[in-house]
Amino acid sequence: MTSKTLKTEIYYLERQTGEIIYEQIFAEKTLRLLYENYFGFIVFNYLLNNKTFCWLYGKYQDLPLTRSQINKFVRRYQIDIKETELPLKNYHSFNAFFSRRLKPNARIFTTESNIFCAPADSRILVYPKLTAETQIPVKSSSVTIAELLNCEKLAQIYRQGSALCLRLAPYDYHRFHFSDTGKALPAKYIQGKYHSVNPLALAKVCNIFSLNKRMVTEFISNNFGRIAYIEIGAFTIGSIIQTYTPGIVYKGQEKGYFQYGGSTLVLLFQPGTICFDDDLIQHSLEGLEVYVQAGNQIGKKNQIQS
């Protein structure tokens, strides 16, 4: 066993009902073996935590033979198939289902310009004001924005700003969207590792966000200033796919999607541009993630710009 005691259970708040939910950890036995077992962690780091293994695993999930996993996956995690764009029989592989689109209007983004909507189905934590050192707390440690962005100069734009962390479980809808209308610059790829982003892994390796491969997009929002979108890959993530075209984009427009595996989004905001909803601030102070869906209101435009 490792010398560090890890949290054995994970809970989050279902915002719509107010219920505290025990999270079913995808591939829990494997994840605990890799992160809670001393020898398992060594095997993971030397043999599995690399581009080649994750690419091969992603390609395997593209094969037609993986279609047999879909029905079992849907039943176990109670996925609402009434929302999916296609009938289950029309998905040619597990990866095709994993990165599924939803039916039109399954996720509604309000047209009110002062409302900031969640860009993805996820469990979120909000950070209304980052420290002068531009750090985002992650479990028992913290990650600097410069490390996250891989750019000290870009990090200064968000000094003492705000941050939003969105964690997607493997059974979530894995496409992400723009939360406002504005201009999106081309995404920049940052090479890195392939750690899981589950809280079990974050408890073991606290700087995963700055270690993993990721993509950074600078977005000049019409109503919320400059925003950095950071898509963070994870263990067995085959690819982070960008589907938008750089230039003018619109609120609710799809930005891209993750292929197989759990994953995380981090959004960084300039100081004084957004006011997160009070309930999210309070729960984040308690360390309790809140589940929201893409299009749900999570904040408002700060009417008094600092």
Side-chain angles (χ1 to χ4, degrees), residues 205-231:
V205 185
C206 58
N207 58 339
I208 282 175
F209 288 178
S210 61
L211 289 176
N212 276 17
K213 74 169 186 177
R214 52 205 185 277
M215 299 192 80
V216 177
T217 305
E218 294 183 73
F219 174 50
I220 297 88
S221 163
N222 282 2
N223 298 286
F224 297 90
R226 200 178 191 97
I227 302 173
Y229 268 75
I230 307 157
E231 293 100 26

Side-chain angles (χ1 to χ4, degrees), residues 74-111:
V74 167
R75 288 194 301 269
R76 179 173 182 180
Y77 296 106
Q78 299 179 329
I79 295 171
D80 186 359
I81 59 174
K82 295 191 297 295
E83 292 185 330
T84 60
E85 180 185 44
L86 304 174
L88 294 187
K89 64 181 181 180
N90 287 24
Y91 293 100
H92 61 81
S93 68
F94 185 78
N95 219 353
F97 174 75
F98 181 86
S99 57
R100 63 195 175 276
R101 282 193 170 95
L102 302 183
K103 291 177 179 176
N105 299 321
R107 299 291 183 268
I108 302 295
F109 285 71
T110 179
T111 57

Side-chain angles (χ1 to χ4, degrees), residues 7 55 153 263 291 301:
K7 185 177 180 180
W55 181 84
K153 183 178 180 180
S263 36
Y291 176 76
K301 181 178 180 178

